[in-house]
Amino acid sequence: MRVDAAIWIREFAALVDAHAEELTALDAAVGDADHGTNMRRGLAAAVAALDDSTPATPAEMYKQTAMALIRGIGGASGPLYGTFFLRFGTAIDSGSGTADFARAFRAGLEGVIARGKAEPGDKTMVDALAPAADALDEQVAAGTSGPDALDAAVAAAETGRDATTPLIARKGRASYLGERSAGHRDPGATSAVLLVRAARRALR
Ligand SMILES: [Mg+2]
């Protein structure tokens, strides 16, 4: 049982498309009201690239996706999601089990942290991705695999996302608001949950 690369990307695009208005509304409260539009445009470009040519290996597919997202999303989120997929793709190599997925997911998270210089609690996408990575590691250590491990990752990401609401943003445009950023759920953590949910849907 593995997360299929092409299905993951397509499911992420579908979820972003379905939640684009919500993402933009969240960004309107703390940023510049473009997160949904930007994410939708970037993922549409990633899907178009897949439709155009399907790379031979998952690593190449993730790299192609990363480039489409970096070019297509723009702002801060493009390079961050691009870095996630670049690092994930390099780390997953030819691995296919839940442990491989967990290891590659953490590599992706570490890429995002290195790129964005955000830590857990800064009210960013890291607040959803880090708990998901921790949950995956715990599930793997407990011998759980497949759907149950991914379900735990989704639940952890959602809990992390919801925990961003009372936080004061310390990174990104929302940080300009200072204390006024509190009381709003973070758009990046919200789209990051969709990334994890898409992976769950891509289990084959
Ligand atoms: Mg924005």
Side-chain angles (χ1 to χ4, degrees):
M1 182 153 265
R2 66 191 177 87
V3 173
D4 183 276
I7 299 174
W8 186 11
I9 295 154
R10 290 179 189 280
E11 289 286 354
F12 187 30
L15 283 169
V16 162
D17 190 57
H19 291 268
E21 279 74 29
E22 177 197 352
L23 294 175
T24 286
L26 291 170
D27 194 27
V30 296
D32 51 0
D34 62 0
H35 193 53
T37 318
N38 287 351
M39 290 292 290
R40 180 187 263 158
R41 186 177 57 241
L43 268 304
V47 168
L50 270 183
D51 289 341
D52 226 36
S53 68
T54 305
T57 68
E60 287 168 36
M61 200 177 300
Y62 289 120
K63 186 174 182 186
Q64 174 181 289
T65 298
M67 294 309 154
L69 296 183
I70 290 167
R71 276 195 303 268
I73 299 179
S77 300
L80 292 170
Y81 276 106
T83 298
F84 177 88
F85 277 113
L86 265 184
R87 298 289 189 89
F88 181 96
T90 304
I92 196 77
D93 192 24
S94 58
S96 61
T98 306
D100 293 309
F101 181 82
R103 184 176 44 75
F105 193 95
R106 183 160 297 279
L109 164 67
E110 284 170 358
V112 169
I113 289 173
R115 177 102 206 186
K117 310 264 184 287
E119 293 167 16
D122 283 349
K123 199 178 179 100
T124 72
M125 60 195 281
V126 170
D127 289 319
L129 295 179
D134 291 345
L136 285 169
D137 285 348
E138 286 162 19
Q139 295 294 311
V140 168
T144 312
S145 65
D148 290 345
L150 268 291
D151 282 344
V154 170
E158 289 172 347
T159 301
R161 171 200 66 193
D162 294 344
T164 63
T165 301
L167 297 177
I168 294 169
R170 289 196 294 252
K171 289 288 169 194
R173 197 177 286 267
S175 66
Y176 305 160
L177 291 179
E179 290 183 2
R180 282 181 294 132
S181 64
H184 302 284
R185 178 146 58 83
D186 183 59
T190 304
S191 61
V193 166
L194 303 180
L195 174 73
V196 183
R197 205 183 289 166
R200 170 65 180 86
R201 288 187 180 186
L203 267 180
R204 291 295 184 277

